[in-house]
Amino acid sequence: MKKISLTGIKPTGSLHIGNYFGAIKPALELSKEYNARYFIADYHALNQVKNPAELEGSIREVAAGWLASGLDPENVIFYRQSSIPEVFELSTMLMAFTGKGLMNRAHAYKAAVQENQEKGIDPDAGINIGLFTYPILMAADIILFDSDIVPVGKDQVQHIEMAQDIAQSVNATYKADILKVPQARITESVAVVPGLDGRKMSKSYDNALPLFGTENQLHKLIMRIVTNSQRVEEPKDPDSSQIFLLYKLFTSQDEQNALAARYKEGGMGWGEAKEELFRVVNRGLSPLRERYNAIIADKKGLDSILAKGAEKARPIAAATVKRFRKAAGID
Ligand code: TRP
């Protein structure tokens, strides 16, 4: 039997190339070898996004983004979290096995509290219980589908460890393997995609290149990449330039070697380096953008793919909940 790979993306804005290289592409790679279950974490997004049009738009964008990137819904079970009521049933049951202290230690919650403290306001200001219990909902997403591995970025590793703790606590209580204990899977080589300012590419830093932006948008953003003040004729170090690091994501080894040599020789300015980057980024993203535009335009088609995915997912989810309820004495 193939092992199971599961991951989710929270629809809180447009996808960027960090999401593609850091999450979507490695997850699709794994779907060749594993039974894959990939989903849109829309209830997680609700903690942050309260504008209905914005949330609906992001859900569709993320769904179309997965499909445009090559997810085959015949091969991968692909669904929206909110279509699987068992997620919430399991989440409630897991709460009975989760220490409040464990949640107090979650990075995202701690960061929100700390921010309030620094501002000198009530430590709980603006923090909803959804943020506080986020790791439990995420544990339910994972455990519900008997996941063996969860491809995620480094920032999510703590959440997976919490899911392990919670599953183990259930198994220890009933002295049986009721729930599968998941493992995090990090793709080291592409885990961090640099943003326009050299920090990790992230929506929250406003330094991202959109995955499905127009050519003009892409060009403008690439021209905004922050560089040092080296002059055109000076030799440059490719490996310390985010322009080159981004270039590597879209090119073959031969192309990389050729451009690295030109950096080192001198004579190529940052402006030209950016134009080269734009050329390969646009070359790489154009076919994706075309597929994306076609998918997003076909509302019914997209809804139907997600509905079929939910239909396949629900019996798996129901079996896990049933197993757990039986063990707990509430069958
Ligand atoms: N918390 C993840 C993120 O913000 C999204 C997510 C929700 C997830 N549930 C999941 C990822 C389950 C992996 C498995 O990126």
Side-chain angles (χ1 to χ4, degrees), residues 69-205:
S69 304
L71 182 146
D72 171 8
E74 294 300 318
N75 179 42
V76 175
I77 303 184
F78 182 54
Y79 55 95
R80 287 166 61 157
Q81 178 191 36
S82 61
S83 306
I84 317 293
E86 287 83 2
V87 174
F88 315 112
E89 222 177 323
L90 181 61
S91 188
T92 298
M93 292 182 79
L94 293 179
M95 286 194 196
F97 296 82
T98 307
K100 176 170 176 289
L102 187 69
M103 294 300 97
N104 287 342
R105 290 194 288 279
H107 298 320
Y109 168 69
K110 268 174 50 181
V113 170
Q114 199 188 338
E115 204 176 299
N116 285 338
Q117 281 166 338
E118 279 162 11
K119 285 189 205 144
I121 57 177
D122 178 349
D124 286 333
I127 299 178
N128 56 46
I129 285 289
L131 173 67
F132 186 63
T133 58
Y134 188 106
I136 306 177
L137 182 57
M138 182 158 157
D141 294 330
I142 296 169
I143 291 168
L144 194 59
F145 290 96
D146 304 317
S147 312
D148 292 290
I149 62 160
V150 186
V152 282
K154 285 204 183 80
D155 59 323
Q156 297 296 315
V157 169
Q158 188 197 32
H159 289 146
I160 313 295
E161 287 168 355
M162 289 179 164
Q164 292 172 339
D165 276 7
I166 299 170
Q168 275 159 349
S169 153
V170 171
N171 292 345
T173 301
Y174 302 114
K175 298 186 178 55
D177 289 334
I178 311 294
L179 305 177
K180 194 179 283 177
V181 180
Q183 304 298 327
R185 172 67 67 94
I186 297 169
T187 317
E188 289 296 342
S189 58
V190 289
V192 176
V193 174
L196 304 179
D197 57 1
R199 291 187 289 172
K200 177 184 173 197
M201 188 174 287
S202 160
K203 272 175 282 213
S204 40
Y205 295 156

